[in-house]
PDB file of all heavy atoms in Angstrom:
ATOM      1  N   ALA A 271      -0.407  -6.638  -3.622  1.00 90.00           N
ATOM      2  CA  ALA A 271      -0.835  -7.334  -4.752  1.00 90.00           C
ATOM      3  C   ALA A 271       0.153  -8.440  -4.997  1.00 90.00           C
ATOM      4  O   ALA A 271       1.372  -8.242  -5.092  1.00 90.00           O
ATOM      5  CB  ALA A 271      -0.827  -6.406  -6.044  1.00 90.00           C
ATOM      6  N   ASN A 323       4.698  -7.279   3.815  1.00 94.00           N
ATOM      7  CA  ASN A 323       5.907  -6.739   3.338  1.00 94.00           C
ATOM      8  C   ASN A 323       6.064  -5.295   3.702  1.00 94.00           C
ATOM      9  O   ASN A 323       5.832  -4.338   2.918  1.00 94.00           O
ATOM     10  CB  ASN A 323       6.020  -6.913   1.843  1.00 94.00           C
ATOM     11  CG  ASN A 323       7.286  -6.228   1.246  1.00 94.00           C
ATOM     12  OD1 ASN A 323       8.100  -5.771   2.012  1.00 94.00           O
ATOM     13  ND2 ASN A 323       7.383  -6.125  -0.132  1.00 94.00           N
ATOM     14  N   ASP A 339      10.420   1.921   2.758  1.00 98.00           N
ATOM     15  CA  ASP A 339       9.866   3.132   2.157  1.00 98.00           C
ATOM     16  C   ASP A 339       8.405   3.333   2.634  1.00 98.00           C
ATOM     17  O   ASP A 339       7.688   2.320   2.734  1.00 98.00           O
ATOM     18  CB  ASP A 339       9.752   2.999   0.603  1.00 98.00           C
ATOM     19  CG  ASP A 339      11.133   2.824  -0.117  1.00 98.00           C
ATOM     20  OD1 ASP A 339      12.147   3.260   0.564  1.00 98.00           O
ATOM     21  OD2 ASP A 339      11.139   2.297  -1.108  1.00 98.00           O
ATOM     22  N   HIS A 421       6.999  -9.055  -4.750  1.00 62.00           N
ATOM     23  CA  HIS A 421       6.509  -7.839  -4.075  1.00 62.00           C
ATOM     24  C   HIS A 421       5.400  -8.037  -3.105  1.00 62.00           C
ATOM     25  O   HIS A 421       5.236  -9.090  -2.666  1.00 62.00           O
ATOM     26  CB  HIS A 421       6.184  -6.716  -5.104  1.00 62.00           C
ATOM     27  CG  HIS A 421       5.207  -7.242  -6.255  1.00 62.00           C
ATOM     28  ND1 HIS A 421       3.887  -7.314  -6.087  1.00 62.00           N
ATOM     29  CD2 HIS A 421       5.511  -7.663  -7.484  1.00 62.00           C
ATOM     30  CE1 HIS A 421       3.363  -7.814  -7.169  1.00 62.00           C
ATOM     31  NE2 HIS A 421       4.412  -7.944  -8.020  1.00 62.00           N
ATOM     32  N   GLY A 422       4.871  -6.905  -2.555  1.00 78.00           N
ATOM     33  CA  GLY A 422       3.898  -7.021  -1.434  1.00 78.00           C
ATOM     34  C   GLY A 422       3.430  -5.582  -1.194  1.00 78.00           C
ATOM     35  O   GLY A 422       2.671  -5.009  -2.015  1.00 78.00           O
ATOM     36  N   THR A 423       3.818  -5.016  -0.124  1.00 92.00           N
ATOM     37  CA  THR A 423       3.448  -3.615   0.332  1.00 92.00           C
ATOM     38  C   THR A 423       2.085  -3.591   1.111  1.00 92.00           C
ATOM     39  O   THR A 423       1.252  -4.412   0.889  1.00 92.00           O
ATOM     40  CB  THR A 423       3.349  -2.715  -0.863  1.00 92.00           C
ATOM     41  OG1 THR A 423       4.683  -2.540  -1.392  1.00 92.00           O
ATOM     42  CG2 THR A 423       2.700  -1.336  -0.610  1.00 92.00           C
ATOM     43  N   THR A 441       6.320  -0.186   2.660  1.00 97.00           N
ATOM     44  CA  THR A 441       6.870  -1.366   2.018  1.00 97.00           C
ATOM     45  C   THR A 441       8.314  -1.612   2.315  1.00 97.00           C
ATOM     46  O   THR A 441       9.009  -0.698   2.735  1.00 97.00           O
ATOM     47  CB  THR A 441       6.635  -1.248   0.470  1.00 97.00           C
ATOM     48  OG1 THR A 441       6.916  -2.419  -0.176  1.00 97.00           O
ATOM     49  CG2 THR A 441       7.632  -0.248  -0.144  1.00 97.00           C
ATOM     50  N   GLY A 443       9.766  -2.952  -0.352  1.00 95.00           N
ATOM     51  CA  GLY A 443      10.026  -2.944  -1.743  1.00 95.00           C
ATOM     52  C   GLY A 443      10.065  -4.328  -2.408  1.00 95.00           C
ATOM     53  O   GLY A 443       9.172  -5.106  -1.982  1.00 95.00           O
ATOM     54  N   ILE A 444      10.898  -4.633  -3.276  1.00 93.00           N
ATOM     55  CA  ILE A 444      10.932  -5.868  -3.931  1.00 93.00           C
ATOM     56  C   ILE A 444      12.009  -6.820  -3.406  1.00 93.00           C
ATOM     57  O   ILE A 444      13.157  -6.285  -3.341  1.00 93.00           O
ATOM     58  CB  ILE A 444      11.090  -5.721  -5.551  1.00 93.00           C
ATOM     59  CG1 ILE A 444       9.793  -4.984  -5.952  1.00 93.00           C
ATOM     60  CG2 ILE A 444      11.309  -7.010  -6.239  1.00 93.00           C
ATOM     61  CD1 ILE A 444       9.805  -4.677  -7.473  1.00 93.00           C
ATOM     62  N   GLN A 447      16.043  -6.778  -4.153  1.00 94.00           N
ATOM     63  CA  GLN A 447      16.263  -5.495  -5.001  1.00 94.00           C
ATOM     64  C   GLN A 447      17.645  -5.098  -4.746  1.00 94.00           C
ATOM     65  O   GLN A 447      18.307  -5.323  -3.673  1.00 94.00           O
ATOM     66  CB  GLN A 447      15.302  -4.503  -4.636  1.00 94.00           C
ATOM     67  CG  GLN A 447      15.336  -3.846  -3.198  1.00 94.00           C
ATOM     68  CD  GLN A 447      14.223  -2.944  -2.809  1.00 94.00           C
ATOM     69  OE1 GLN A 447      13.286  -2.683  -3.471  1.00 94.00           O
ATOM     70  NE2 GLN A 447      14.400  -2.298  -1.720  1.00 94.00           N
ATOM     71  N   ARG A 451      17.685   0.773  -4.223  1.00 97.00           N
ATOM     72  CA  ARG A 451      16.521   0.990  -5.045  1.00 97.00           C
ATOM     73  C   ARG A 451      15.296   1.575  -4.361  1.00 97.00           C
ATOM     74  O   ARG A 451      14.963   1.128  -3.263  1.00 97.00           O
ATOM     75  CB  ARG A 451      16.196  -0.410  -5.663  1.00 97.00           C
ATOM     76  CG  ARG A 451      15.008  -0.465  -6.636  1.00 97.00           C
ATOM     77  CD  ARG A 451      13.768  -1.065  -5.952  1.00 97.00           C
ATOM     78  NE  ARG A 451      12.607  -1.088  -6.809  1.00 97.00           N
ATOM     79  CZ  ARG A 451      11.360  -1.221  -6.346  1.00 97.00           C
ATOM     80  NH1 ARG A 451      11.152  -1.428  -5.120  1.00 97.00           N
ATOM     81  NH2 ARG A 451      10.384  -1.232  -7.212  1.00 97.00           N
ATOM     82  N   GLY A 453      11.157   2.338  -4.811  1.00 97.00           N
ATOM     83  CA  GLY A 453      10.073   2.065  -5.737  1.00 97.00           C
ATOM     84  C   GLY A 453       9.031   3.271  -5.621  1.00 97.00           C
ATOM     85  O   GLY A 453       9.417   4.433  -5.398  1.00 97.00           O
ATOM     86  N   ASP A 454       7.784   2.931  -6.017  1.00 98.00           N
ATOM     87  CA  ASP A 454       6.802   3.961  -6.067  1.00 98.00           C
ATOM     88  C   ASP A 454       6.204   4.355  -4.692  1.00 98.00           C
ATOM     89  O   ASP A 454       5.666   5.457  -4.556  1.00 98.00           O
ATOM     90  CB  ASP A 454       5.619   3.450  -6.893  1.00 98.00           C
ATOM     91  CG  ASP A 454       4.993   2.210  -6.309  1.00 98.00           C
ATOM     92  OD1 ASP A 454       5.771   1.318  -5.961  1.00 98.00           O
ATOM     93  OD2 ASP A 454       3.721   2.151  -6.214  1.00 98.00           O
ATOM     94  N   THR A 455       6.351   3.531  -3.714  1.00 98.00           N
ATOM     95  CA  THR A 455       5.674   3.738  -2.427  1.00 98.00           C
ATOM     96  C   THR A 455       5.825   5.070  -1.841  1.00 98.00           C
ATOM     97  O   THR A 455       4.883   5.736  -1.312  1.00 98.00           O
ATOM     98  CB  THR A 455       5.987   2.592  -1.451  1.00 98.00           C
ATOM     99  OG1 THR A 455       5.649   1.352  -2.137  1.00 98.00           O
ATOM    100  CG2 THR A 455       5.311   2.795  -0.147  1.00 98.00           C
ATOM    101  N   CYS A 473      -1.213   2.406  -3.734  1.00 98.00           N
ATOM    102  CA  CYS A 473      -0.901   1.413  -4.758  1.00 98.00           C
ATOM    103  C   CYS A 473       0.081   0.353  -4.241  1.00 98.00           C
ATOM    104  O   CYS A 473       0.767   0.510  -3.284  1.00 98.00           O
ATOM    105  CB  CYS A 473      -0.194   2.121  -5.893  1.00 98.00           C
ATOM    106  SG  CYS A 473      -1.229   3.388  -6.660  1.00 98.00           S
ATOM    107  N   THR A 474       0.035  -0.803  -5.043  1.00 96.00           N
ATOM    108  CA  THR A 474       1.059  -1.861  -4.758  1.00 96.00           C
ATOM    109  C   THR A 474       1.269  -2.627  -6.065  1.00 96.00           C
ATOM    110  O   THR A 474       0.364  -2.788  -6.888  1.00 96.00           O
ATOM    111  CB  THR A 474       0.484  -2.893  -3.737  1.00 96.00           C
ATOM    112  OG1 THR A 474       1.353  -3.995  -3.630  1.00 96.00           O
ATOM    113  CG2 THR A 474      -0.929  -3.328  -3.981  1.00 96.00           C
ATOM    114  N   GLY A 475       2.486  -3.011  -6.284  1.00 94.00           N
ATOM    115  CA  GLY A 475       2.885  -3.786  -7.438  1.00 94.00           C
ATOM    116  C   GLY A 475       4.281  -3.445  -7.959  1.00 94.00           C
ATOM    117  O   GLY A 475       5.114  -2.969  -7.163  1.00 94.00           O
ATOM    118  N   GLU A 476       4.564  -3.677  -9.168  1.00 94.00           N
ATOM    119  CA  GLU A 476       5.840  -3.466  -9.773  1.00 94.00           C
ATOM    120  C   GLU A 476       6.132  -1.935  -9.761  1.00 94.00           C
ATOM    121  O   GLU A 476       5.566  -1.207 -10.631  1.00 94.00           O
ATOM    122  CB  GLU A 476       5.909  -4.048 -11.191  1.00 94.00           C
ATOM    123  CG  GLU A 476       5.807  -5.511 -11.208  1.00 94.00           C
ATOM    124  CD  GLU A 476       5.718  -6.021 -12.654  1.00 94.00           C
ATOM    125  OE1 GLU A 476       6.407  -5.456 -13.611  1.00 94.00           O
ATOM    126  OE2 GLU A 476       4.990  -7.049 -12.888  1.00 94.00           O
ATOM    127  N   GLY A 477       6.847  -1.476  -8.774  1.00 95.00           N
ATOM    128  CA  GLY A 477       7.030  -0.065  -8.550  1.00 95.00           C
ATOM    129  C   GLY A 477       7.505   0.740  -9.753  1.00 95.00           C
ATOM    130  O   GLY A 477       7.038   1.870  -9.924  1.00 95.00           O
ATOM    131  N   GLU A 478       8.391   0.164 -10.559  1.00 97.00           N
ATOM    132  CA  GLU A 478       8.943   0.959 -11.680  1.00 97.00           C
ATOM    133  C   GLU A 478       7.732   1.375 -12.668  1.00 97.00           C
ATOM    134  O   GLU A 478       7.679   2.468 -13.149  1.00 97.00           O
ATOM    135  CB  GLU A 478       9.971   0.180 -12.366  1.00 97.00           C
ATOM    136  CG  GLU A 478      11.378   0.111 -11.696  1.00 97.00           C
ATOM    137  CD  GLU A 478      11.324  -0.610 -10.363  1.00 97.00           C
ATOM    138  OE1 GLU A 478      10.393  -1.357 -10.133  1.00 97.00           O
ATOM    139  OE2 GLU A 478      12.395  -0.499  -9.619  1.00 97.00           O
TER     140      GLU A 478
HETATM  141  N1  LIG B 413       5.430  -1.168  -5.129  1.00 57.81           N
HETATM  142  C1  LIG B 413       6.399  -1.627  -4.234  1.00 57.81           C
HETATM  143  C2  LIG B 413       7.742  -1.369  -4.834  1.00 57.81           C
HETATM  144  O1  LIG B 413       7.892  -1.292  -5.921  1.00 57.81           O
HETATM  145  C3  LIG B 413       6.293  -3.171  -4.111  1.00 57.81           C
HETATM  146  C4  LIG B 413       4.961  -3.674  -3.979  1.00 57.81           C
HETATM  147  O2  LIG B 413       3.983  -3.035  -3.886  1.00 57.81           O
HETATM  148  O3  LIG B 413       4.817  -4.841  -3.995  1.00 57.81           O
HETATM  149  O4  LIG B 413       8.658  -0.977  -4.026  1.00 57.81           O
END
Side-chain angles (χ1 to χ4, degrees):
N323 177 10
D339 298 336
H421 47 81
T423 291
T441 192
I444 294 182
Q447 67 187 8
R451 177 256 180 198
D454 59 312
T455 301
C473 301
T474 170
E476 295 174 33
E478 283 68 14

